[in-house]
Amino acid sequence: MKTDQELNSLALQTRRGWNEDGYSPIDIFGIVNGWKERNITILRYPLSDRISGMCTKVDEDIVICINSKTSYGRQRFTLAHELYHVLYENIVGQVICNKNMGDNQTDSEKEADKFASYLLLPYDALYQYAANINQEWTLERVIEAEQFFQISHMAMLFRLASNGFIDENEEESFKDITVSRVAALLGYGKELYQPSPQNREYFATGEYIRKIEELSSKDLISDGKREELLLDGYRADIVYNLEEEEGNLND
Ligand SMILES: [Zn+2]
């Protein structure tokens, strides 16, 4: 199994490839959707409760499926987790990933979880953040940090415990709350702790959409085929031009 240092280093290497430094929060969905050097399609889909996501890689074509019933923070973590499988492992067929984190997982799953954590929140970033606040890790501090780095509550606690910032008792007591409510009382929005809205429960983005548009613009597929393929990717919003209805503003 790879060490934490190796996984942190891989995470930093990945960030460098995106021109991202090792300290700032990243918009991982925005980055991966626009990452043209890799053919990655992201599919948000309501999977079973015990699954966080899955991925497949056929030649250079990668599909990452994210459980849209999990919180936005967890979806960000899952995307980072799946990236580990597709970028740094030789996967065969499909990889299906369990929502649970912790010791009773395979080495591959543990590595992917740690990589995800370091990608969203590199080791030095957390270390500096902790040094700057220089206080006990209270629940309030934990929520501040997860809001700053946009990482789910469970992933944040798992990370703080595994890097020795909090002990097991603290981890348990910080778990046992309704985090969106506590965050709201601290003045934050609840989005990080909520699942995709209903009109985004089924939703494909990234390479799949780009490829359809490319084929269509070169007249390699008919308009009907284009619409059919877009609908297969749950993108009725593109086919039926719903942007105005959905309240698009260019401001
Ligand atoms: Zn996995």
Side-chain angles (χ1 to χ4, degrees):
M1 165 139 182
K2 289 199 180 77
T3 63
D4 278 41
Q5 285 90 338
E6 286 174 287
L7 294 162
N8 183 56
S9 168
L10 269 184
L12 290 175
Q13 181 189 316
T14 313
R15 275 180 168 242
R16 276 196 298 276
W18 297 331
N19 288 321
E20 293 284 348
D21 65 43
Y23 295 93
S24 313
I26 53 170
D27 174 11
I28 190 162
F29 275 99
I31 290 170
V32 175
N33 276 328
W35 196 15
K36 304 228 178 67
E37 292 79 42
R38 303 273 179 170
N39 306 340
I40 301 180
T41 296
I42 300 175
L43 177 63
R44 287 191 184 77
Y45 194 91
L47 299 165
S48 114
D49 285 344
R50 60 189 175 79
I51 294 171
S52 56
M54 33 200 239
C55 58
T56 53
K57 186 175 179 187
V58 179
D59 301 324
E60 292 308 312
D61 290 314
I62 294 165
V63 177
I64 292 176
C65 183
I66 310 265
N67 189 348
S68 56
K69 289 196 290 189
T70 60
S71 70
Y72 174 63
R74 183 56 200 250
Q75 291 183 32
R76 282 170 46 86
F77 185 86
T78 301
L79 175 53
H81 172 115
E82 302 303 326
L83 281 179
Y84 180 75
H85 293 309
V86 297
L87 299 179
Y88 300 114
E89 291 184 320
N90 286 317
I91 60 170
V92 179
Q94 215 173 34
V95 180
I96 299 176
C97 302
N98 212 305
K99 204 156 121 196
N100 291 335
M101 294 177 212
D103 290 337
N104 51 352
Q105 300 284 335
T106 62
D107 280 359
S108 161
E109 282 300 280
K110 283 191 230 168
E111 286 176 359
D113 276 341
K114 288 191 166 177
F115 171 84
S117 187
Y118 288 126
L119 186 62
L120 296 174
L121 175 45
Y123 184 82
D124 262 13
L126 178 58
Y127 189 82
Q128 293 284 344
Y129 187 91
N132 285 343
I133 58 168
N134 195 22
Q135 284 173 29
E136 289 282 293
W137 280 95
T138 58
L139 179 60
E140 187 175 340
R141 297 276 170 271
V142 172
I143 290 175
E144 272 172 24
E146 69 200 25
Q147 284 287 337
F148 185 75
F149 289 102
Q150 293 283 293
I151 186 167
S152 76
H153 189 56
M154 213 51 89
M156 190 70 212
L157 292 177
F158 179 74
R159 171 64 178 282
L160 290 172
S162 71
N163 282 169
F165 286 105
I166 58 172
D167 65 28
E168 244 173 60
N169 292 336
E170 288 169 312
E171 187 184 4
E172 282 312 307
S173 76
F174 294 159
K175 257 182 206 172
D176 199 18
I177 54 151
T178 304
V179 63
S180 61
R181 179 165 173 76
V182 182
L185 296 177
L186 290 170
Y188 294 106
K190 293 183 171 180
E191 301 79 8
L192 190 61
Y193 312 107
Q194 290 172 329
S196 301
Q198 258 174 4
N199 62 348
R200 293 288 181 272
E201 253 194 348
Y202 299 83
F203 208 67
T205 53
E207 181 68 12
Y208 180 74
I209 306 299
R210 269 197 298 276
K211 191 125 302 155
I212 295 169
E213 292 309 295
E214 189 190 321
L215 293 173
S216 169
S217 70
K218 290 178 181 162
D219 281 331
L220 292 169
I221 53 173
S222 65
D223 288 349
K225 190 66 189 172
R226 169 180 175 266
E227 289 185 3
E228 183 192 325
L229 291 170
L230 285 170
L231 291 173
D232 282 348
Y234 307 102
R235 295 305 302 267
D237 61 314
I238 301 179
V239 174
Y240 302 116
N241 214 352
L242 299 178
E243 286 82 1
E244 261 173 47
E245 278 171 48
E246 290 184 339
N248 169 73
L249 298 169
N250 283 8
D251 57 0

